Amino acid sequence: GAVVSQHPSRVICKSGTSVKIECRSLDFQATTMFWYRQFPKQSLMLMATSNEGSKATYEQGVEKDKFLINHASLTLSTLTVTSAHPEDSSFYICSATSTGLYEQYFGPGTRLTVT
Amino acid sequence: EDQVTQSPEALRLQEGESSSLNCSYTVSGLRGLFWYRQDPGKGPEFLFTLYSAGEEKEKERLKATLTKKESFLHITAPKPEDSATYLCAVPGTGANNLFFGTGTRLTVIP
C-alpha cells in the first residue's frame, strides 16, 4: 500500500513555457501533499504544503506565482511551473500523507529540464 | 530551532562489513523519526518510523534504533544493492512537514 505516482517522469521544455506535473496517491486518500525540489547531491527542499481543497502554503523564498499548486481532490495534486527558465531545471518530488499521520510517501520524482 | 544532522556524509563499505549511520535531532516534542532510502534519480522510499526512545525496528539487513537525542541505522552484512542515500527526518515543531537531514551516501563494494 501507500503508493504515490508522478507524471511525467521526465520533461524537457523551452524557456518561457509552462509545465504541469501531476502527483497521485493510488491507494489512499491524501489529505496533505508536499512538493519538494532536489538539486544534485543535496537533500530535499520543501517548496510547499497543500491540503485538499485549500490554498497551498509556500515556504519562504518560493514564488507562489511561479510554482502554482492545486490540490483539488484527495488523490491528486498538481504543480505548474509557469514561464520556466533554465534555473528551474531540477528534480521535483511530491509526497502524500493521510490525516493524523506524519509518515510521508513519496512519488518517483520528475526531472525537469528547461532549455 | 529544529535540526537534523546525519553522519557520516558518505560511507564506503566492503560487502559484508557491518556499520551504523547516525541521525542526531533537536526538536521539541518528538512526534516520530523517519528513515528513508533514496536511490539516484528516484523518490525516497519509506523504511521505518520510530516514536519513542528504546524502540527498535528491523527490515532485512537494516535495524533502526532511537534514543532521546539520536537514531542509528545499523546495516548488518551489507550487499551492493544496499548502496543508496539514507535520509532521516522528523516533523517540525508545530507542523506536519518533515525536516530532512542531508543524508548518508552509502556505497557497498563487492
Side-chain angles (χ1 to χ4, degrees), chain B:
Chain B
E1 183 180 320
D2 300 333
Q3 208 164 19
V4 178
T5 305
Q6 290 187 248
S7 63
E9 189 174 309
L11 181 63
R12 288 172 66 89
L13 299 173
Q14 289 291 134
E15 184 171 0
E17 180 187 0
S18 301
S19 188
S20 296
L21 314 182
N22 177 266
C23 172
S24 299
Y25 62 90
T26 305
V27 65
S28 300
L30 184 67
R31 292 168 291 154
L33 185 140
F34 304 88
W35 281 99
Y36 289 86
R37 168 192 171 130
Q38 186 176 24
D39 292 299
K42 295 187 178 181
E45 173 191 345
F46 173 75
L47 292 175
F48 304 110
T49 307
L50 302 166
Y51 287 105
S52 56
E55 189 175 359
E56 299 183 353
K57 288 195 177 170
E58 289 188 63
K59 181 180 180 180
E60 296 180 358
R61 294 176 292 283
L62 301 176
K63 183 169 80 172
T65 62
L66 181 66
T67 72
K68 288 186 178 179
K69 294 184 178 181
E70 58 193 348
S71 177
F72 292 94
L73 185 64
H74 308 277
I75 302 177
T76 302
K79 297 182 177 182
E81 53 262 42
D82 295 322
S83 298
T85 295
Y86 291 86
L87 300 165
C88 73
V90 296
T93 302
N96 66 342
N97 57 292
L98 293 179
F99 278 98
F100 280 87
T102 51
T104 293
R105 191 167 63 254
L106 174 66
T107 305
V108 182
I109 304 161

Side-chain angles (χ1 to χ4, degrees), chain A:
Chain A
V3 178
V4 177
S5 70
Q6 264 182 260
H7 179 79
S9 58
R10 291 177 180 270
V11 58
I12 300 173
C13 70
K14 292 189 175 181
S15 188
T17 62
S18 295
V19 173
K20 180 184 283 189
I21 303 170
E22 288 188 352
C23 177
R24 293 181 184 272
S25 58
L26 299 184
D27 53 1
F28 67 102
Q29 293 189 325
T31 49
T32 305
M33 286 185 165
F34 303 86
W35 287 95
Y36 293 85
R37 186 172 179 175
Q38 188 174 36
F39 293 103
K41 297 190 177 180
Q42 293 188 25
S43 194
L44 302 162
M45 183 190 83
L46 180 65
M47 298 175 66
T49 302
S50 74
N51 293 297
E52 185 262 339
S54 302
K55 287 186 178 180
T57 302
Y58 290 81
E59 294 300 301
Q60 194 171 8
V62 177
E63 298 175 62
K64 61 181 67 175
D65 294 331
K66 180 166 189 61
F67 298 99
L68 301 179
I69 292 171
N70 183 278
H71 190 166
S73 77
L74 285 171
T75 59
L76 174 64
S77 177
T78 60
L79 167 68
T80 301
V81 183
T82 63
S83 187
H85 292 285
E87 56 264 33
D88 298 324
S89 298
S90 190
F91 191 52
Y92 293 87
I93 313 174
C94 71
S95 70
T97 188
S98 289
T99 304
L101 298 179
Y102 294 107
E103 294 165 7
Q104 293 181 23
Y105 295 92
F106 286 82
T110 297
R111 172 75 57 193
L112 170 65
T113 303
V114 184
T115 61

